[in-house]
Amino acid sequence: MSPKNVIFKKICKDKSVGVYMGKRDFVDRVDSVDPVDGVILVDPEALQGRKVFVTLSCTFRYGRDDMDVMGIAFRRELYLSTRQVYPPLQDREKGIHTKIQARLLRKLGHNAYPFFFEFPDNLPCSVALQPAPHDVGKQCAVEFEIKAFSAESQDAKVRKRSTVKLMLRKVQYAPEGEGTAPSVETTRDFVMSDKPLHVKASLDKEIYYHGETIKVHVNVTNNSSKNIKNIILSVDQVATVVLYSNDSYVKCVDIEDSGDSVSPGATLQKVYKLLPVLANNRERRGIALDGKLKHEDTNLASTSIIREGVLKEVMGIMVSYRVMVKLIVGGEVGLEVPFKLMHPKPDAVRRRRRWCSRSSSVPT
């Protein structure tokens, strides 16, 4: 995540326009999203009478720029909003919405102007599909961007040297509350067997944080005459590209081939451990990742949570996770246990660290 007390700045090549922002990560709380705010610094002499505009855009890219065919681009603009910041259309003080804007305006002087955008509530979060090691160019992704530029008018041709772009991220944190710990069970009857096979799989909780071990409780009661030869557990990431095809890509991001067997009439109760992390999947094409900023690392994509009533078709890429438990009994007996993989809220992390530090300081 973007560190606190850091100012992100970028200036275009002809020095006419610069963007200053206090953060580049904006939190989607399902029912509301952090507004996007910052300051534009202009050089009136370098502008030579041109106006300055700033845009916030959300783009779904599903192919590289060099794959464009007959002028048809492999990308779709999900959202675009433009503001004129210079010459200002309102009093500068009325455009100040945050403390960081006020501080930047005091520091940068009278040629600095604030901008402010509010996200609509139906946009996806930043997510990308991991390219193969030999792939070049931009990958399939949902991307957010602030762009400032100078031009004669909003619709006039924009020169690259008069344009500055800054990538942003829209992120979600795990919701408050534990939720219900998922549990799934099934009973399977077999031909030539008087009694059935019963299997139950459960997790300790519904939401796991990135980098956290998942404990899977498996209970097998094999009253059948079949011999269970092996038990295989895995974590599947399901990435559904809902915008243009509704295709689903299922990728196994961790697996445990236990080798455990259960003979007829026997039972098994065991806890297995799984750890789905990007570090073990970096070479695999098509795995969904959380969107990243330049020169920063990322992680497996977080579970997508959307507000009730929002059309899934405009969400770009939807991500979900499940634990798969497969019993090899001649064929397969399988269970799917859904769960959520997310980041904790930073406030929750700080509270936990304070609690741990207080606990460790208590004399024993």
Side-chain angles (χ1 to χ4, degrees):
M1 303 303 293
S2 300
K4 284 192 170 184
N5 303 319
V6 171
I7 299 300
F8 299 94
K9 91 170 183 180
K10 198 170 183 182
I11 299 172
C12 66
K13 288 185 177 180
D14 68 5
K15 312 295 184 184
S16 63
V17 181
V19 177
Y20 292 75
M21 300 183 70
K23 62 180 182 178
R24 296 171 71 180
D25 292 323
F26 297 88
V27 180
D28 181 346
R29 297 177 175 81
V30 181
D31 58 348
S32 66
V33 186
D34 287 349
V36 177
D37 64 275
V39 167
I40 300 294
L41 181 65
V42 304
D43 183 341
E45 289 188 12
L47 287 174
Q48 298 179 339
R50 297 191 303 273
K51 298 177 181 179
V52 176
F53 302 89
V54 60
T55 66
L56 170 65
S57 64
C58 173
T59 304
F60 178 64
R61 183 185 301 275
Y62 47 98
R64 303 192 308 271
D65 289 337
D66 59 6
M67 292 171 60
D68 293 359
V69 178
M70 297 177 65
I72 301 174
F74 284 82
R75 59 185 179 274
R76 177 173 166 183
E77 218 159 55
L78 302 181
Y79 177 75
L80 178 67
S81 182
T82 304
R83 305 270 193 274
Q84 179 179 318
V85 293
Y86 180 84
L89 300 179
Q90 65 174 351
D91 183 75
R92 192 172 82 148
E93 298 304 313
K94 291 182 180 179
I96 299 174
H97 290 80
T98 64
K99 292 180 180 178
I100 188 66
Q101 282 182 315
R103 289 199 297 268
L104 284 169
L105 290 173
R106 285 196 298 269
K107 182 174 181 179
L108 297 174
H110 63 278
N111 285 327
Y113 298 89
F115 67 86
F116 184 86
F117 293 94
E118 289 186 298
F119 281 110
D121 58 9
N122 62 345
L123 291 180
C125 286
S126 301
V127 64
L129 298 185
Q130 180 168 259
H134 59 272
D135 286 347
V136 295
K138 294 189 175 183
Q139 70 266 45
C140 178
V142 174
E143 298 174 331
F144 291 85
E145 181 183 78
I146 278 286
K147 179 174 78 171
F149 61 93
S150 61
E152 301 297 332
S153 67
Q154 180 178 329
D155 300 321
K157 186 175 180 180
V158 180
R159 300 181 303 178
K160 281 189 176 181
R161 59 184 290 102
S162 302
T163 303
V164 57
K165 300 177 181 180
L166 205 56
M167 296 296 295
L168 310 179
R169 278 190 300 203
K170 183 167 170 279
V171 299
Q172 282 183 327
Y173 295 128
E176 297 286 356
E178 291 295 323
T180 303
S183 177
V184 178
E185 54 188 305
T186 188
T187 300
R188 178 67 62 88
D189 292 301
F190 298 98
V191 179
M192 307 297 291
S193 181
D194 294 333
K195 295 182 179 180
L197 164 67
H198 184 77
V199 187
K200 180 179 180 181
S202 60
L203 307 181
D204 293 328
K205 53 186 180 178
E206 180 190 23
I207 299 173
Y208 288 85
Y209 299 148
H210 290 284
E212 186 176 5
T213 298
I214 300 170
K215 295 181 180 179
V216 186
H217 302 261
V218 176
N219 295 297
V220 180
T221 303
N222 187 14
N223 291 321
S224 74
S225 59
K226 297 287 185 176
N227 182 42
I228 298 172
K229 301 175 183 178
N230 196 5
I231 299 176
I232 302 172
L233 297 93
S234 62
V235 174
D236 283 352
Q237 179 196 77
V238 184
T240 305
V241 183
V242 296
L243 188 62
Y244 68 92
S245 65
N246 215 31
D247 291 339
S248 289
Y249 302 90
V250 180
K251 300 287 185 179
C252 174
V253 290
D254 194 33
I255 190 167
E256 171 67 25
D257 189 340
S258 71
D260 291 336
S261 61
V262 185
S263 56
T267 61
L268 178 140
Q269 292 185 347
K270 188 171 179 178
V271 179
Y272 298 91
K273 295 181 180 181
L274 295 166
L275 183 60
V277 291
L278 176 58
N280 300 330
N281 294 279
R282 288 195 183 276
E283 303 298 316
R284 302 187 56 210
R285 187 177 190 270
I287 287 179
L289 311 177
D290 275 345
K292 69 174 182 176
L293 303 175
K294 197 173 182 180
H295 306 309
E296 288 189 14
D297 202 359
T298 185
N299 46 260
L300 295 175
S302 298
T303 299
S304 304
I305 299 178
I306 63 171
R307 188 170 61 86
E308 189 175 348
V310 172
L311 292 175
K312 292 184 179 180
E313 287 75 14
V314 300
M315 298 308 292
I317 302 172
M318 299 283 294
V319 178
S320 61
Y321 289 89
R322 65 194 184 195
V323 169
M324 300 293 295
V325 180
K326 294 181 181 179
L327 279 64
I328 309 302
V329 197
E332 283 186 3
V333 176
L335 297 176
E336 296 183 13
V337 189
F339 71 97
K340 294 182 175 70
L341 184 64
M342 304 191 76
H343 286 290
K345 290 184 178 179
D347 290 344
V349 174
R350 286 193 290 270
R351 285 198 301 270
R352 191 163 57 204
R353 285 174 179 169
R354 285 199 298 269
W355 184 86
C356 290
S357 63
R358 286 199 301 269
S359 299
S360 63
S361 63
V362 174
T364 56

